[in-house]
Amino acid sequence: NGLPFASGDEVNEEGEYTLVVTKENGKSDTVQFVIDKTPPVVNLDTVDANNQSKDPVTVTYSDKYLESATINGVPFESGMIVKEPGSYVVVVTDQAGNVTTREFEIVPGELEDLDVTFHWASDGQPIDLNAQVPNYDGVYYFNEDIYVD
C-alpha cells in the first residue's frame, strides 16, 4: 500500500492490500490480497433467545466479501422471509472462509391463541392444557373424552 515492506514482515491487520515487488532488473509484479478475520453478520428478526419464533422470520446478512448464503442448503438472498413452521439452518460464508451458522425454528401458534376452550366430557370442567395434558412435539394427548367450545 505504498509503504516499504521487507521480506518476512507480517501483515496481520484486516484490510485490503496491494504488494508491489520490484526486481533488480526494474520489473515489478503486483499482488492484491485481503486479510479478513471477521465472520459474516446474520440477523433473524423475530427469533427469541431459545432460537424459536411463532412469527415469520426475516433473515438478513452482511459481509463485504460474501461468498455464499444458504438456508437448509439452498442459496438465498438477504431479506428473505421464512414463513413455514419447521427447523432451519442458515450458513453464511465469506471469501476468506469465515463462517456464521445460525439455527432457528418456526413453531406453530399455541392453542392458547385460539378462541376455544377444551372441557372434560365427564364433568364439564375446563382443561388447563399446559398443566393437565401431555404434549409431545406440539400434539396434545387425552386419555378421556373431551368437548370443545
Side-chain angles (χ1 to χ4, degrees), residues 14-138:
E14 286 193 89
E16 298 175 3
Y17 295 88
T18 301
L19 175 65
V20 179
V21 179
T22 305
K23 300 175 185 174
E24 291 179 13
N25 64 7
K27 292 185 179 184
S28 62
D29 288 321
T30 301
V31 176
Q32 294 181 325
F33 63 95
V34 173
I35 295 180
D36 174 16
K37 302 175 186 178
T38 305
V41 174
V42 175
N43 291 306
L44 309 170
D45 72 337
T46 60
V47 174
D48 64 20
N50 295 319
N51 296 317
Q52 293 184 331
S53 179
K54 293 180 186 178
D55 300 312
V57 176
T58 301
V59 182
T60 58
Y61 56 82
S62 61
D63 192 279
K64 185 174 182 179
Y65 308 106
L66 182 70
E67 175 70 22
S68 65
T70 62
I71 293 181
N72 290 352
V74 178
F76 77 102
E77 297 292 324
S78 184
M80 178 179 176
I81 299 172
V82 180
K83 299 177 183 177
E84 295 299 317
S87 296
Y88 298 89
V89 178
V90 177
V91 179
V92 181
T93 306
D94 67 21
Q95 294 172 349
N98 299 305
V99 178
T100 299
T101 301
R102 297 279 309 271
E103 297 182 29
F104 69 96
E105 179 181 17
I106 297 178
V107 295
E110 299 294 325
L111 289 177
E112 291 80 20
D113 295 340
L114 299 175
D115 189 22
V116 298
T117 302
F118 288 79
H119 298 270
W120 296 116
S122 60
D123 62 9
Q125 291 296 310
I127 301 169
D128 179 349
L129 292 175
N130 293 322
Q132 296 176 302
V133 182
N135 177 330
Y136 301 98
D137 295 325

